[in-house]
Amino acid sequence: MAEPTRTKAEQADKDDPLAHVGNRFRLPDEVIYLDGNSLGALPANVPAAVDDGVVRQWGTDLIGSWNGNDWWTLPARTGDRIGRLVGAAPGQIICGDSTSVQLFQALVMLCRLNPQRQTLVTDDTGFPTDQYLAESVARMLDLRLLRVTPEAVNEVVGED
């Protein structure tokens, strides 16, 4: 096998069909940046988009941005873009708050569906943050919190 040379490497770079993608990012001169799992390189179009979002949409258009700049549909539009990456049909993915925020909202909504019930049951092996959320919802809504093993859930679930 022939040993690689600088000339061959430069030619491979010129022949690379994805070489133009590098121009979509802002990097300091002479920097080769290979860390994309933590903080990737800044996409070149992001500063203008952030500036527009902050200065015009938020700063000038204010609450009118919900309708005028279509903020209402942003979770669905973002979900559709994610959906294309994972093979989902339009409307199947919604992009929202963090999982913790959504779990908190779901727990509160479910507990308020039937305010006569005074007990919130949770899996005692759940992720710690999920446990903290269940505690917070129980405290906020003045509910009794039961932590049980997954196998025991059916034993404690009842009218309350």
Side-chain angles (χ1 to χ4, degrees):
M1 175 151 92
E3 191 170 312
T5 65
R6 181 179 186 95
T7 304
K8 287 180 182 177
E10 289 171 346
Q11 187 60 48
D13 283 346
K14 287 179 187 174
D15 294 340
D16 183 356
L18 296 176
H20 69 283
V21 173
N23 296 329
R24 295 182 185 174
F25 299 91
R26 294 174 64 174
L27 287 171
D29 292 337
E30 305 301 320
V31 169
I32 297 172
Y33 192 65
L34 302 175
D35 186 6
N37 66 319
S38 175
L39 183 62
L42 176 66
N45 63 339
V46 166
V50 169
D51 186 60
D52 178 60
V54 171
V55 175
R56 182 184 62 81
Q57 293 181 37
W58 181 10
T60 303
D61 296 350
L62 299 167
I63 198 169
S65 284
W66 284 103
N67 292 319
N69 292 299
D70 216 15
W71 285 3
W72 281 112
T73 64
L74 195 55
R77 287 186 288 131
T78 303
D80 285 345
R81 292 181 78 172
I82 294 168
R84 287 194 300 270
L85 295 173
V86 299
Q92 290 185 327
I93 295 179
I94 296 291
C95 183
D97 288 318
S98 70
T99 302
S100 293
V101 169
Q102 291 186 337
L103 177 59
F104 179 82
Q105 292 170 335
L107 287 172
V108 170
M109 184 270 310
L110 289 168
C111 290
R112 287 182 172 166
L113 277 177
N114 191 340
Q116 291 77 29
R117 292 184 174 175
Q118 295 297 304
T119 303
L120 175 60
V121 179
T122 187
D123 173 356
D124 71 348
T125 62
F127 195 70
T129 304
D130 298 350
Q131 297 292 319
Y132 303 146
L133 293 171
E135 286 177 13
S136 295
V137 170
R139 190 171 44 253
M140 182 178 85
L141 299 178
D142 197 28
L143 301 172
R144 179 174 67 129
L145 179 65
L146 283 182
R147 286 188 176 89
V148 297
T149 64
E151 299 79 25
V153 168
N154 289 333
E155 296 172 24
V156 299
V157 172
E159 289 303 311
D160 188 41

